[in-house]
Amino acid sequence: MTGVSIVAVIRAATLCPNPAPDFVFKDQDLIGILGEAAQLQAFEEWTKGNPGHSPLAA
Amino acid sequence: MGIAADIIIIVIASLAGGLVAKLFRQPLILGYILGYILAGVVIGPHTGGIAASSVHNIEKLAEIGVALLLFALGLEFSLQELKPVRKIALIGTPLQIILTQAFGFALGAWWGLDWQSALWFGALISLSSTMVVLKTLMSQGWMGTLSSRVMIGMLIVQDLAVVPMMIILPELSHPETGLPILALSILKAAIFLFLMIFLGTNLIPRLLRYIAGWNSRELFLVSVVTIGLGIGYGTYWFGLSFAFGAFIAGMVLSESDYGHQALSEIIPLRDIFGLLFFSSVGMLLDPVFLWTHATTILLLIVLVIVGKGLIFAGLSRLFQYRNVIPLAVGLGLFQVGEFSFVLARVGLNTNSISTELYSLVLSLTVSTMFLTPFLSSLTQPIYSFFRARAKREPLQTINLPKYGLLDHVVIAGGGQVGQNIARILEQFDVKFVLVEVDFHRFEQLKALSYPCIFGDAGQAIVLEASKIRKAKLLLITAPSALVSQTVATHAHVISPDLKIMARAISIEHMKTLHSRGVYEVVQPEFEASLEFTRQALLHFKVPPDRIQQFMDAVRYELYAPLYDADSSYRTLSQLQSASRLLDLNWLSLPEESPLIGHSIEELRIRTMI
């Protein structure tokens, strides 16, 4: 819950533009995101598994 | 102060000489040599005014200069470069030396020399100048072409030939006792080479690694000099030449991991002692002699250029090199090289040649070196001229697709810009054809297996061969205003609807291009400066969108004259940069990310808290 938009995902060198809501993430996915700087940072922290450090959570 | 004062006078005079040479816009390395020689003439004993008092002592110091020149040459020596052209280098060069020797012998006999001096003369003119040729090739952008490889290969073998010449030639003066001495010298050289190859290549790199381990730059330098000059002194003591040992020491060192570092340490020392050598070369030159024999010398210069050039061109042809290569090699290697100075000095010191012959060879060397950049630059025009005359020859096309060209990109100019574009287009599977007029570059493109046409894109027939009517785009990358205008004009006539992009040299050029129907231009220097600024600003954490805005403003300002009439430009440029403004971020999911295995819907990423 960060506010960023997922525009595309690159999986195994294939581009999947505008992934559907039921798109399930996998290890090594490259995710293309749009958003404000703070939102982007929050999302990045989340992917690393530490949402507690995100400015939005605080 | 004695010799110290002399050295100071020489250095000051050489600096002045170097500056004079620079004024004449000679390629730098060559210019310096000429400047130093000139300085030597001025402060030499043959002219009045300030003079070095102990020429003899300077000559002794100059010996170190020669040894260091050969030492550095050995360090730069690379067998790898010989591989692709080994036939002409290893067989052709000895042939060339023999042929030039014979030619020089004939010239010497005509000049009235005795047979020994005539042989010396032949040997002296048989060598070409590595320094001058390398510098010329670099400034003409010909490095890497097949002609340049042939030239460098032959030069390396010539440089190697200096060494046996320095041993053999002095023995000519006493032919009765000479033969056994010669045999003995060759035997000694063979023993020395054997020792160096089997002991030196093992011992010296190990020693150098040990010294490098001390981590002292100064000790490293002293050790390198000790190895170079020490081995040289060893060979001298052994009855061979000082320079020969230094050369072999350099070659052995070049094989070690520290060869490059040794070379870079030794270069300043080589340059200073080289300065002493080249100015001492000048000191022995007698300007009065040159003046009184001006006509003969001029005639000799012309004869040597023509004769030596023809020998090189003929040999290249004999070794199956075609097209521009024989011409390029002939016009590249005709000069007499710097090692003739070294060899001539050996001749003078062993009383094998007279001071007249020495002055003659010196003036011949200096003037032919001086003419090299100029004559070599004539290669392309002469070649084009003869190609244009031989009209029947079909247009040379390489790697063109068999099924023909359609919706392709025509790239006029296969230089660096053209080649980069080609490489990227190839990755995107966009069909293209390069048009290049310089044969050296055409060879490069051929080697890269790009589809290309050899010809002047400014000629309608060449453009037709590139199927310009069916093309989607024409990119003119040639860095010359005249060329790009001609190409644009012709292309516009043949195919009025074709989109053309061109490289602009200046704002005025941009306007001219616009009037010829070129609506998109690239000004490389300007684009490079923008990219520099963009990357620099990114380092200062300026947001990418701010940078882009700024870039657009600057671009708009520069390219404005082109679009004055076109008010829609601003909207267009804003649209163009929109994709760059959308600051899309890419993130790789780490291995243990909590997102893995969940869907976007489940995670409610878009939802704000």
Side-chain angles (χ1 to χ4, degrees), chain B residues 398-401 405-411 418-419 421-427 429-434 445 448-452 466 475:
Chain B
I398 291 287
N399 304 325
L400 289 193
L405 287 161
L406 182 66
D407 281 348
H408 58 291
V409 181
V410 177
I411 308 171
Q419 282 177 24
I421 297 172
R423 207 180 55 221
I424 296 164
L425 289 183
E426 195 178 40
Q427 280 169 17
D429 281 329
V430 174
K431 277 184 279 178
F432 63 88
V433 58
L434 286 147
L445 299 172
L448 292 166
S449 61
Y450 289 143
C452 48
S466 74
L475 308 181

Side-chain angles (χ1 to χ4, degrees), chain B residues 134-156:
Chain B
L134 281 184
K135 199 75 192 165
T136 311
L137 287 174
M138 269 184 241
S139 68
Q140 284 169 339
W142 286 358
M143 277 315 226
T145 61
L146 191 55
S147 336
S148 79
R149 293 219 181 100
V150 171
M151 287 191 227
I152 293 170
M154 295 188 90
L155 286 167
I156 290 176

Side-chain angles (χ1 to χ4, degrees), chain B residues 220-240:
Chain B
F220 184 79
L221 171 66
V222 175
S223 312
V224 170
V225 175
T226 311
I227 292 171
L229 299 184
I231 291 176
Y233 190 68
T235 48
Y236 174 74
W237 191 69
F238 207 60
L240 294 168

Side-chain angles (χ1 to χ4, degrees), chain B residues 218-294:
Chain B
E218 212 166 318
L219 277 178
F220 184 79
L221 171 66
V222 175
S223 312
V224 170
V225 175
T226 311
I227 292 171
L229 299 184
I231 291 176
Y233 190 68
T235 48
Y236 174 74
W237 191 69
F238 207 60
L240 294 168
S241 90
F242 184 37
F244 171 61
F247 177 74
I248 301 298
M251 259 176 76
V252 170
L253 266 187
S254 75
E255 294 300 314
S256 91
D257 298 342
Y258 296 93
H260 284 287
Q261 205 193 332
L263 183 63
S264 62
E265 294 285 351
I266 210 81
I267 279 175
L269 203 65
R270 177 200 70 181
D271 289 348
I272 289 293
F273 279 98
L275 176 154
L276 288 182
F277 168 67
F278 288 116
S279 56
S280 75
V281 163
M283 285 182 205
L284 296 177
L285 188 76
D286 185 357
V288 180
F289 171 81
L290 294 186
W291 183 247
T292 47
H293 294 78

